[in-house]
Amino acid sequence: MNWEDTPEQAAFREEVRAFVRDRFPATYTPDPDAEQSLEPEDVWGYNWAVDRNSPDAARREGARAWAAALAERGWITPHWPVEYGGAGLSAMEEFILQEEMMRARVPTVNGIGAFLLGPTLLAHGTEAQRAEHLPPIARGERTWAQGFSEPGAGSDLAGLRTRAVRDGDHYVVDGQKVWTSLGHHADWLFVLVRTDPDAAPKHRGITFLLVDVDTPGVTVRPIRDIRGDAPFSEIFFEGARVPVANRVGEENRGWYVAMDALSFERAGIGATIKYEQAIARLVEHIGTPEGREHLREGWERGARQEIARRYVEMRVLYNIARYSVTNPVPGYEASVNQLFSAELHQRLARTGAHVFGRHGLLWQRRDAPLGAAFTHMRMDSVAATFLGGASEIQRNVIATRGLGLPRS
């Protein structure tokens, strides 16, 4: 397919570049030691959801100023309708906006709320829910986290056991969620709960709820990861009362709402640009005298071919991402994107390890080759093939929904 910009798209791309150049706060600079998240839309050194409440005044004000600048144009939520704070852009214009922000290495704002929950509420929410929740997301004033996985329900999400029992105009929620990305920095959660314990098949007894983190009975605890940072959390519900008005979709039909939300999650451009920049930096480093001092002895054997393969794979991923945005609700193509991206992440990390050898073991960024970028990538990539949906699940989706193969 030909992905060359139309004249209108080219003009919009230049508009975005000029906006980033002119409006990104000069005082909002990368934190060289930031490790707060593993999400594919992250930009190294930034995490807006964390930065907006940073104890560092310059970082905090920079994050809020950037959100305000984007909100003026509706560019926090560019594809949303204007009446909810969006810009009414086409899917391809939104893609270009996100692509150029990633290329400029500036952070997106309100990722989970803007790109997962917002489209889900537009598709399944009530007008009252949209009016209450969408404008604060579009202004960068309310952040969200996704409460799906549980200790016994990760890849088999339909096995979740967090229980919600109807009590008048509230649900009483008890249970636990885990691996909730940036849950300890969120204002609100969207969670899956079991409302019919006897449902068969079990995914039919699940309901989708919106939960204020400050609700009595909700406890959020950060979890440390292999890198020593806390990109996610575990969440405990003990008799938490959630209004029935916060239910999205019908009771016991939340699985279908959640599947749409996960489709939005799997269709991003961020990983593609990150991999492209990582490959470019690696090739540039290899070509310098200083860089060659850091390379493993005999690195040339097979490494050039590996780097070439990674570049080709990155271009394939770019085309998959472009294709995914042509569907209003991404389908199995989003799973193709997620699967290919996750496995490419791991292959690219191994390529870096091949090239750097013992220098690839350095963890501290200062004075390490390329700021230890590939060492950190290796740690990040451990979770890639189950973050956002395990590779086995993605293959099942591709097989059944994309290829029409039988489920058994």
Side-chain angles (χ1 to χ4, degrees):
M1 301 181 73
N2 180 12
W3 294 123
E4 291 293 326
D5 287 343
T6 65
E8 294 78 13
Q9 290 169 348
F12 180 69
R13 192 180 293 278
E14 289 302 320
E15 180 184 351
V16 173
R17 289 173 178 171
F19 173 83
V20 171
R21 184 177 61 249
D22 296 341
R23 298 296 304 275
F24 189 74
T27 57
Y28 190 16
T29 56
D31 177 353
D33 298 315
E35 293 282 358
Q36 300 105 332
S37 182
L38 297 171
E39 299 299 323
E41 305 300 329
D42 291 343
V43 177
W44 173 73
Y46 294 104
N47 193 302
W48 181 84
V50 179
D51 295 341
R52 73 185 184 114
N53 291 322
S54 172
D56 182 314
R59 175 162 292 276
R60 182 176 64 251
E61 294 308 314
R64 295 183 179 188
W66 179 228
L70 288 168
E72 285 178 17
R73 300 233 182 166
W75 282 2
I76 291 179
T77 53
H79 195 34
W80 291 12
V82 173
E83 59 264 34
Y84 297 117
L89 299 183
S90 69
M92 193 55 69
E93 287 173 324
E94 180 183 30
F95 184 96
I96 290 170
L97 173 62
Q98 301 305 324
E99 179 182 0
E100 290 303 320
M101 288 175 64
M102 289 295 298
R103 291 194 186 283
R105 300 184 183 183
V106 299
T108 56
V109 168
N110 226 337
I112 290 176
F115 301 123
L116 269 71
L117 180 68
T120 302
L121 288 183
L122 288 170
H124 298 281
T126 66
E127 183 52 42
Q129 289 168 345
R130 296 184 193 119
E132 178 182 358
H133 296 294
L134 296 186
I137 295 172
R139 294 191 297 265
E141 297 171 356
R142 182 178 296 171
T143 57
W144 289 78
Q146 171 186 299
F148 285 7
S149 296
E150 299 184 3
S155 296
D156 181 21
L157 184 57
L160 65 87
R161 293 185 293 178
T162 294
R163 184 79 183 276
V165 177
R166 181 79 177 258
D167 180 22
D169 59 358
H170 285 77
Y171 289 103
V172 181
V173 182
D174 291 277
Q176 181 186 357
K177 298 294 179 179
V178 74
W179 313 126
T180 303
S181 296
L182 297 176
H184 47 304
H185 297 286
D187 303 312
W188 280 71
L189 312 167
F190 54 99
V191 303
L192 292 179
V193 295
R194 184 161 297 285
T195 43
D196 183 355
D198 301 318
K202 56 189 176 182
H203 67 267
R204 291 185 179 172
I206 290 171
T207 297
F208 192 110
L209 296 179
L210 310 178
V211 182
D212 188 335
V213 170
D214 291 330
T215 301
V218 176
T219 303
V220 183
R221 297 177 184 167
I223 300 175
R224 294 284 169 185
D225 68 4
I226 193 172
R227 307 164 307 168
D229 212 270
F232 29 57
S233 62
E234 55 184 345
I235 302 172
F236 298 89
F237 300 90
E238 300 174 279
R241 297 181 63 83
V242 179
V244 172
N246 287 10
R247 184 186 71 216
V248 180
E250 299 177 26
E251 184 171 290
N252 297 327
R253 301 283 291 177
W255 178 263
Y256 307 99
V257 179
M259 291 306 99
D260 276 355
L262 290 175
S263 293
F264 294 120
E265 179 181 34
R266 295 168 181 160
I269 180 60
T272 308
I273 306 305
K274 288 174 70 173
Y275 302 158
E276 177 187 280
Q277 292 174 339
I279 293 169
R281 291 183 68 203
L282 179 60
V283 171
E284 181 181 3
H285 189 73
I286 289 171
T288 66
E290 178 189 4
R292 284 191 286 274
E293 294 178 3
H294 298 144
L295 305 181
R296 181 178 63 86
E297 183 178 352
W299 72 272
E300 299 94 335
R301 292 194 294 272
R304 295 180 187 275
Q305 290 83 357
E306 277 195 50
I307 292 170
R309 290 191 193 101
R310 299 299 86 83
Y311 183 82
V312 171
E313 290 164 349
M314 180 273 299
R315 295 309 303 168
V316 170
L317 181 62
Y318 180 85
N319 281 275
I320 294 172
R322 290 285 296 240
Y323 181 73
S324 294
V325 303
T326 62
N327 294 325
V329 177
Y332 74 91
E333 301 92 345
S335 287
V336 174
N337 189 12
Q338 167 73 12
L339 174 64
F340 194 85
S341 174
E343 296 190 347
L344 174 55
H345 189 177
Q346 294 180 343
R347 289 193 296 272
L348 182 56
R350 287 195 295 270
T351 297
H354 181 169
V355 170
F356 284 112
R358 60 188 176 85
H359 284 96
L361 300 176
L362 295 173
W363 180 254
Q364 297 298 325
R365 292 189 183 274
R366 291 179 177 84
D367 300 323
L370 291 183
F374 280 88
T375 311
H376 287 252
M377 180 181 285
R378 288 176 67 193
M379 297 296 102
D380 291 350
S381 71
V382 170
T385 47
F386 54 86
L387 181 73
S391 292
E392 293 79 5
I393 299 298
Q394 307 303 347
R395 286 187 170 90
N396 285 342
V397 171
I398 295 164
T400 56
R401 299 183 190 176
L403 301 177
L405 298 177
R407 293 183 178 273
S408 61

